[in-house]
C-alpha cells in the first residue's frame, strides 16, 4: 500500500469528520410548535360572550400564567356569530395590554382549560368592565382605552384594530350590504375601510351555518413581536406571563363566544459551541488520526 496516498486519505477524512461534528454542535436546536387557545371564561368555546359586548361598557380580558420563554409565531382573535344588534353605525376597538388590567367591575373569572395547560402550565382568566362615557345612544365613536378610564393599563398598550359589523340578517359577503354599511360609517365619520375584510384589514369572515358569521382578526408581524415581548416582559413590558385584550364596542355586538389562539415556539438556546468543546473535539480527532496512520504505516512494512 502507498503510504503517501493513505496519509492524504486520512487527512481528508479528518476534515470531513470535523465538519460534520461542528455542524452538529453549532446547529440550532429544533423547536416544537404549540397551538394554544384561550377563552375568557377559562372553559370551552362559546361559553363566554363578554356580556354580549354592550356598547355602554368597555372590557379588559386579562390572561395570566402564560408560559414564558416562547416566541409567538401566529395569533388570532375569533368571535363566533358576531353581529350588530341594530341598523346603526358601529365600531369595535381591539387593543393589546402588557399586563392584567384592574379596576371596574369583575364580569367573569376562572382557570384555564386543558388546551392552555398543555404546553407550559395552566392559565387564569378574568374579564373586567367599565362604564363607557359615550353613553346611550352612542354619538361619539372613539376608543375608550386611548384616554383615562377605570380599566386603563398601568404599562404598555398597543392598538390592534378597529372594525364594524353587519346587523342580522345582512351579510358581510354581500356587496350591496357592505356598501350600505359604508354609507352608515361615512355619516358617522368612521373610516369606510372598517367595513372591508381581508388584505390590510387583518379581518376574515366565515359562514359556518345559515345566517351565522364568525369573524377572525389575525395579528400582523409587528403585533406578534409586541405580543412576544409582553408575554416575556421584555422591552419595558409589565409582568411576565400576563397580557390583556382590551375591547371597546361603540355599539352592541351580540356573539356566542370569543377566543384567542396563539402558535408558539420555545426560544432556541443552543448556539456556537464553546472553545473548550471545539478543542476537545479537535484533540480527539488528532488522536484518532495518529492511531489510524500508525496502523496504515505498520501495514506497509
Amino acid at each position: 500500500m502507498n503510504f503517501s496516498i493513505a496519509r492524504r486519505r486520512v487527512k481528508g477524512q479528518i476534515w470531513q469528520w470535523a465538519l460534520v461534528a461542528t455542524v452538529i454542535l453549532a446547529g440550532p436546536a429544533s423547536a416544537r410548535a404549540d397551538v394554544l387557545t384561550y377563552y375568557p371564561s377559562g372553559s370551552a368555546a362559546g361559553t363566554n360572550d363578554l356580556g354580549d359586548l354592550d356598547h355602554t361598557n368597555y372590557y379588559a380580558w386579562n390572561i395570566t400564567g402564560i408560559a414564558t420563554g416562547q416566541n409567538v409565531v401566529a395569533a388570532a382573535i375569533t368571535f363566533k356569530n358576531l353581529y350588530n344588534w341594530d341598523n346603526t353605525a358601529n365600531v369595535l376597538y381591539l387593543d393589546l395590554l402588557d399586563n392584567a388590567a384592574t379596576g371596574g367591575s369583575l364580569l367573569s373569572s376562572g382557570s384555564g382549560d386543558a388546551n392552555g395547560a398543555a404546553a407550559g402550565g395552566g392559565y387564569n382568566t378574568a374579564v373586567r368592565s367599565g362604564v363607557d362615557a359615550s353613553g346611550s345612544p352612542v354619538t361619539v365613536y372613539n376608543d375608550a382605552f386611548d384616554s383615562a378610564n377605570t380599566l386603563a393599563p398601568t404599562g404598555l398598550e398597543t392598538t390592534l384594530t378597529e372594525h364594524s359589523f353587519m346587523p342580522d340578517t345582512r351579510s358581510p359577503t354581500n356587496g350591496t350590504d357592505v356598501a350600505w354599511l359604508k354609507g352608515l360609517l361615512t355619516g358617522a365619520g368612521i373610516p369606510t375601510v372598517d367595513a372591508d375584510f381581508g388584505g390590510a384589514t387583518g379581518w376574515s369572515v366565515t359562514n359556518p351555518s345559515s345566517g351565522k358569521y364568525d369573524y377572525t382578526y389575525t395579528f400582523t408581524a409587528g403585533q406578534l413581536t409586541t405580543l412576544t415581548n409582553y408575554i416575556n416582559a421584555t422591552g419595558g413590558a409589565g409582568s411576565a406571563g400576563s397580557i390583556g385584550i382590551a375591547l371597546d364596542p361603540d355599539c352592541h355586538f351580540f356573539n356566542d363566544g370569543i377566543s384567542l389562539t396563539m402558535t408558539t415556539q420555545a426560544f432556541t438556546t443552543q448556539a456556537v459551541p464553546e472553545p473548550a468543546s471545539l478543542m476537545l473535539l479537535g484533540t480527539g480527532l488528532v488522536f484518532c488520526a495518529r492511531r489510524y496512520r500508525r496502523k496504515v504505516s505498520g501495514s506497509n512494512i
Side-chain angles (χ1 to χ4, degrees):
M1 180 178 181
N2 191 304
F3 179 73
S4 61
I5 295 177
R7 183 168 56 186
R8 287 196 298 270
R9 187 177 300 165
V10 170
K11 287 183 178 180
Q13 291 175 340
I14 290 174
W15 286 112
Q16 290 175 359
W17 297 338
L19 178 61
V20 171
T22 303
V23 169
I24 293 174
L25 286 174
S30 59
R32 184 190 69 181
D34 290 305
V35 179
L36 306 177
T37 303
Y38 301 87
Y39 303 108
S41 65
S43 55
T47 59
N48 196 308
D49 57 13
L50 276 75
D52 266 330
L53 295 175
D54 193 323
H55 62 265
T56 59
N57 297 320
Y58 47 84
Y59 305 84
W61 170 21
N62 298 326
I63 308 174
T64 59
I66 303 173
T68 58
Q70 56 186 343
N71 181 42
V72 184
V73 297
I77 299 175
T78 298
F79 299 81
K80 293 187 65 64
N81 192 24
L82 176 71
Y83 61 92
N84 188 10
W85 78 324
D86 62 15
N87 293 325
T88 60
N90 63 79
V91 62
L92 173 64
Y93 296 92
L94 296 181
D95 299 292
L96 178 65
L97 312 179
D98 75 330
N99 211 342
T102 59
S105 301
L106 181 64
L107 180 65
S108 68
S109 63
S111 57
D113 61 26
N115 180 266
Y123 66 95
N124 292 313
T125 176
V127 178
R128 309 194 73 87
S129 64
V131 178
D132 197 327
S134 62
S136 180
V138 177
T139 56
V140 179
Y141 298 89
N142 53 28
D143 187 352
F145 287 88
D146 286 344
S147 59
N149 61 72
T150 57
L151 296 179
T154 57
L156 302 177
E157 169 193 356
T158 185
T159 300
L160 293 177
T161 182
E162 62 183 65
H163 210 75
S164 300
F165 301 93
M166 297 287 180
D168 200 23
T169 58
R170 292 183 182 269
S171 167
T173 61
N174 183 292
T176 301
D177 289 345
V178 172
W180 169 86
L181 177 59
K182 288 187 175 184
L184 290 178
L185 302 185
T186 299
I190 302 172
T192 57
V193 70
D194 289 354
D196 292 330
F197 296 95
T201 70
W203 286 94
S204 59
V205 59
T206 59
N207 181 208
S209 60
S210 178
K212 293 182 180 294
Y213 299 94
D214 295 346
Y215 298 88
T216 297
Y217 176 74
T218 300
F219 285 53
T220 66
Q223 291 167 351
L224 291 174
T225 299
T226 300
L227 178 58
T228 298
N229 291 339
Y230 284 5
I231 291 174
N232 293 284
T234 56
S239 301
S242 298
I243 61 169
I245 303 295
L247 306 96
D248 179 21
D250 280 338
C251 201
H252 196 135
F253 296 107
F254 290 127
N255 66 90
D256 291 329
I258 300 172
S259 62
L260 168 67
T261 300
M262 299 192 304
T263 302
T264 66
Q265 287 184 335
F267 288 123
T268 55
T269 57
Q270 187 172 341
V272 177
E274 298 176 357
S277 300
L278 289 176
M279 185 178 296
L280 182 61
L281 171 64
T283 302
L285 289 174
V286 170
F287 176 75
C288 292
R290 285 179 176 174
R291 291 194 61 184
Y292 186 79
R293 185 167 56 186
R294 289 172 183 170
K295 182 179 179 181
V296 172
S297 179
S299 63
N300 243 358
I301 298 174

